[in-house]
Amino acid sequence: MPGAYDRSRREAVVRRVSPNFDRALSKYFGTQTPDPVAAQGSHDAYVMALRAHGTDVEILGALDSHPDCCFVEDCAVMIDGVALISNLGAPSRRGEEVAVAKYLSEGSDLLRMPQDATLDGGDVVFFDDRYLIGLSTRTNQAGAAFLTEQVKEEGFDVELIDIPSSTLHLTTVCSSPREGTLVAAEGHLTQDQIGHLADEILWVPNSDSYAANTIGYSGDRVIIADGYASTRQIMLDAGFSITTVDMDAIRQADGSLTCLSVFNR
Ligand code: GLY
């Protein structure tokens, strides 16, 4: 139901880091080979942060054959309790969605995409009464069109946003931590693209672009990545209470906070 998104985030599914995380896709934020052990440490801290905010977290087992398997956000998009299962945009990642779909099917109906459509959940920001959908190297026109059709049937609006080649996904540089508010990264998105969408846009500097990916909870609580002082101050000034998670090891494979979970309730 449009406008009903209260960000209480009662349940989430996550997946442990692959032992082969050193082979995860890494093109944008990585400065060194991803380290599976360090990344699992960040992942553990992340799960603790979600649980501390009241989320019931289901943890799926890792896959040797899929180095990017911890990035479950890409595998599904929730639409009013129904799970749209992605055709992942990166060929090496296809198959990650199988166990996520199996888990989600225990509590939700599943929707499948047409074969020619690709979509990563990382290109979708659910923003109150609308879905913001990024057109990126992972999400094609057919994928965006399929999601658009589904969410419009449920009464939500859609905004398509072109993602620049400097950026992996929409959620890489944009998130909505509370009703009416977007956080966005300068140098990746522009006021012309998103200025008309929100009452409040908290622009973080390009040097902090990684920190534009936040997880908001009701009561103006937000989880942000540790180590981004400008973003931390912007969020404090906007009235949020902040929890930080050290995401450096996850960042090496271009993953951000939201990439690690699907909030299914
Ligand atoms: N490493 C995350 C991705 O490229 O999908």
Side-chain angles (χ1 to χ4, degrees), residues 4-16:
Y5 185 29
D6 68 359
R7 295 173 179 77
S8 53
R9 303 188 187 278
R10 286 175 286 128
E11 284 182 32
V13 57
V14 305
R15 184 175 229 166
R16 286 179 64 79

Side-chain angles (χ1 to χ4, degrees), residues 1-3 79 124-133 144 147-160 196-197:
M1 181 191 307
I79 309 166
V124 183
V125 172
F126 182 33
F127 181 47
D128 301 333
D129 62 352
R130 70 190 63 197
Y131 282 70
L132 314 183
I133 306 174
L147 177 58
T148 297
E149 193 185 320
Q150 305 309 316
V151 303
K152 285 200 164 173
E153 271 178 26
E154 298 305 320
F156 296 98
D157 280 335
V158 164
E159 191 76 24
L160 298 179
H196 59 289
L197 295 176

Side-chain angles (χ1 to χ4, degrees), residues 24-26 28 68 71 74 90 93 120 138 168-169 253-255:
L25 299 173
S26 174
Y28 301 92
D68 286 286
F71 300 127
D74 293 320
R93 297 196 54 192
D120 282 6
R138 303 290 178 83
L168 173 54
H169 287 132
D254 296 335

Side-chain angles (χ1 to χ4, degrees), residues 5-10 53-55 176-179 215-223 240-241:
Y5 185 29
D6 68 359
R7 295 173 179 77
S8 53
R9 303 188 187 278
R10 286 175 286 128
H53 283 76
T55 302
S176 176
R178 70 179 164 209
E179 194 173 334
I215 298 180
Y217 277 85
S218 52
D220 290 350
R221 295 170 298 154
V222 70
I223 303 176
F240 286 96
S241 61

